[in-house]
Amino acid sequence: MRNSEFIALTILFSFQISAAFTQPEMTQLREINEKYIKEEIDARKKLELAIKEAIVNLPKEKSNILKLHELWGQTTKIKCRLAILDSLNTDAETANKYECLANEYTAEAHFLNGTY
């Protein structure tokens, strides 16, 4: 009997928690997340272009450019994971993650653009 009471209370509270946000708040959160996701996509496209241009301008360094990109990607993944620890499982998690990724992709592109 206790398990069924616990399940019933859990379901009841989960509905109340999801109703805690008003429609305007949910819309605003979605818009914020979409903004940072778009920034990440744009930054990634610019990075891909910077990689291609760096290889064209420094063809002898192609393997180093690609290796650096691979290592930078690993670093970015870890760095952004650590950067958003305080926002994990919160409404800000998605925006913080994509903002961090966008910033890191932009930094890598800026570095590559400055090498030739």
Side-chain angles (χ1 to χ4, degrees):
M1 190 79 161
R2 279 213 178 279
N3 283 341
S4 62
E5 289 173 7
F6 176 74
I7 291 171
L9 286 174
T10 302
I11 291 171
L12 177 66
F13 284 118
S14 68
F15 286 124
Q16 289 178 346
I17 290 171
S18 66
F21 290 110
T22 64
Q23 187 61 39
E25 290 171 329
M26 290 173 53
T27 300
Q28 184 179 26
L29 179 61
R30 188 186 78 249
E31 289 171 354
I32 291 168
N33 287 340
E34 288 174 356
K35 173 189 175 217
Y36 286 108
I37 290 169
K38 183 183 180 323
E39 285 182 13
E40 183 269 342
I41 291 168
D42 293 344
R44 189 171 4 108
K45 287 178 183 176
K46 289 176 184 173
L47 172 58
E48 290 168 3
L49 181 60
I51 292 168
K52 289 176 185 174
E53 288 178 356
I55 290 170
V56 166
N57 288 307
L58 302 166
K60 292 180 182 179
E61 297 298 326
K62 178 180 179 177
S63 64
N64 284 330
I65 292 166
L66 294 176
K67 181 66 174 176
L68 176 62
H69 173 62
E70 178 185 334
L71 294 170
W72 203 310
Q74 292 171 12
T75 301
T76 294
K77 182 178 178 180
I78 294 167
K79 185 175 181 180
C80 289
R81 170 71 180 170
L82 292 174
I84 67 164
L85 281 177
D86 61 336
S87 67
L88 288 177
N89 301 314
T90 69
D91 299 328
E93 179 179 359
T94 300
N96 287 346
K97 173 185 173 183
Y98 286 98
E99 179 183 28
C100 180
L101 291 171
N103 290 340
E104 292 302 312
Y105 295 158
T106 299
E108 183 179 358
H110 181 72
F111 173 80
L112 289 172
N113 288 331
T115 59
Y116 52 88

